[in-house]
Amino acid sequence: MGNKVDSHTVLFSVIGDPIRHSKSPIMMNRAFRETGINGIYTAFHITADRLGDFVAGVRAMGIRGVNVTIPHKLDIMPLLDEIDESAQVIGAVNTIVNTGGHLKGYNTDGIGYVRSLKEEAKSDLAGSHVLIIGAGGATRGILYALAREGVASVTISNRTVARAEELAEAFRGLVPVIRAIGQDELQAACGHSDIIINTTSLGMFPNVEETPIDSSWLKPDTVASDLIYNPLTTRFLAEAKERGCRIHGGLGMFIYQGAYAFEYWTGQPAPVEAMRETVLEALQQSKS
Ligand code: NAP
């Protein structure tokens, strides 16, 4: 059944370039149906040169909420009225809340990831030693969210070590112990970590044979976590499971970043299980 659309329907959207692959509309419209909220969520293909026009449109049309994806997460920031502390520290916005024409930017990626990690793999992260492989945009959000969980240490390994060093420097005041390493120190770091997170694109469809580490470096009982959700179980996760690790895939991050956005916009708890069911169905359909 479709969402009811009438003169009171409130509009929400996701913008990006490209955008037609996005699973956000089906996930969020299911959330509105499930909670009985009279809202509709669409995808707009917005190119960089029309970003200002789009923001004017949000104000003029009273679009209540917007999700922002690649490549606009940074460039949208100066166009907003207020930036939440999380998005400021992370340096990127993925969610906008429009309250009577006042646009406030948030970042729900990192907190979405950590909520999913806690619900699905390890309920208490305090005191954990975390290894992050990758130092791109997603890593920044995750570092911000991990810092609030009382982790004991974070080690960042990246192909381009300078990017890992830059991140370690930026988050030094927030995480008690944080360091950057090159790939030559990765094996030793795996042996000392409670949680290993792959934030690189290694292993993502269609390059499903790629993996960020040699699985023999993993010790059993480590939590192996991957941001990738296509495939749902990457080679990294499949091999980690064989080694006796607990595994955690990237689908939960996608669901919970959306759940936080939904909660910011509506003030109601997001129907997370229904959202997950819808996205899983869509992923399966796009494979068949
Ligand atoms: P990004 O900013 O482009 O960063 C990519 C990272 O991958 C960099 O650290 C890069 O290393 C590394 N990398 C790429 N190719 C590599 C290779 N061949 N060997 C070693 N390292 C390589 O991307 P991002 O936005 O952070 O996203 C990273 C991943 O997270 C993607 O797979 C994305 O799909 C996923 N993601 C998932 C969600 C979700 O909701 N589940 C949300 C956001 C992102 P260099 O610095 O050396 O280039």
Side-chain angles (χ1 to χ4, degrees):
M1 205 179 73
N3 294 31
K4 174 182 110 177
V5 179
D6 63 15
S7 320
H8 298 279
T9 301
V10 179
L11 203 59
F12 300 83
S13 72
V14 59
I15 60 163
D17 177 19
I19 198 61
R20 296 297 164 220
H21 64 287
S22 174
K23 301 281 184 258
S24 291
I26 53 148
M27 175 170 80
M28 296 306 233
N29 283 314
R30 172 78 191 267
F32 290 132
R33 280 201 303 279
E34 203 70 21
T35 50
I37 289 172
N38 187 357
I40 198 103
Y41 185 111
T42 59
F44 292 127
H45 180 199
I46 303 293
T47 49
D49 57 319
R50 306 311 293 268
L51 200 55
D53 292 343
F54 172 75
V55 172
V58 170
R59 289 197 173 91
M61 293 164 67
I63 295 178
R64 166 70 177 152
V66 179
N67 285 132
V68 182
T69 188
I70 290 168
H72 303 314
K73 289 185 184 189
L74 271 70
D75 295 340
I76 197 89
M77 294 177 76
L79 305 174
L80 306 179
D81 300 303
E82 190 182 348
I83 306 289
D84 179 66
E85 185 239 335
S86 63
Q88 235 154 37
V89 175
I90 295 161
V93 159
N94 81 327
T95 301
I96 302 170
V97 180
N98 177 3
T99 309
H102 180 90
L103 306 188
K104 183 167 178 181
Y106 295 84
N107 193 308
T108 67
D109 281 332
I111 54 173
Y113 169 80
V114 164
R115 185 157 147 193
S116 146
L117 182 68
K118 288 171 71 176
E119 301 243 339
E120 296 163 26
K122 193 170 169 58
S123 58
D124 186 3
L125 306 180
S128 296
H129 295 281
V130 182
L131 168 63
I132 301 179
I133 307 170
T139 308
R140 291 190 76 92
I142 289 175
L143 281 169
Y144 172 83
L146 285 176
R148 292 152 42 117
E149 295 295 327
V151 296
S153 74
V154 176
T155 302
I156 310 166
S157 164
N158 196 42
R159 176 178 62 178
T160 312
V161 188
R163 286 186 90 187
E165 280 164 355
E166 210 177 288
L167 279 189
E169 197 50 48
F171 285 86
R172 188 139 285 142
L174 293 176
V175 181
V177 178
I178 185 162
R179 66 185 187 123
I181 60 168
Q183 285 176 320
D184 50 330
E185 291 180 81
L186 196 47
Q187 178 173 3
C190 284
H192 295 120
S193 302
D194 305 309
I195 304 170
I196 301 176
I197 309 168
N198 174 38
T199 71
T200 75
S201 44
L202 290 169
M204 188 160 69
F205 182 83
N207 303 313
V208 295
E209 281 309 312
E210 293 178 349
T211 181
I213 56 160
D214 184 324
S215 62
S216 67
W217 302 347
L218 291 169
K219 63 177 168 61
D221 294 334
T222 308
V223 172
S225 172
D226 205 324
L227 263 54
I228 294 168
Y229 61 88
N230 186 15
L232 290 169
T233 307
T234 56
R235 179 178 166 189
F236 167 55
L237 294 187
E239 290 182 349
K241 193 174 179 188
E242 276 172 25
R243 296 276 304 164
C245 299
R246 234 174 314 157
I247 64 169
H248 170 249
L251 184 64
M253 175 177 182
F254 177 66
I255 307 291
Y256 281 111
Q257 61 77 31
Y260 273 116
F262 179 93
E263 290 167 5
Y264 290 166
W265 296 330
T266 67
Q268 291 194 31
V272 172
E273 282 321 309
M275 292 161 74
R276 187 190 303 271
E277 183 186 87
T278 297
V279 176
L280 270 173
E281 269 170 25
L283 287 172
Q284 267 141 21
Q285 270 167 23
S286 56
K287 255 187 221 137
S288 55

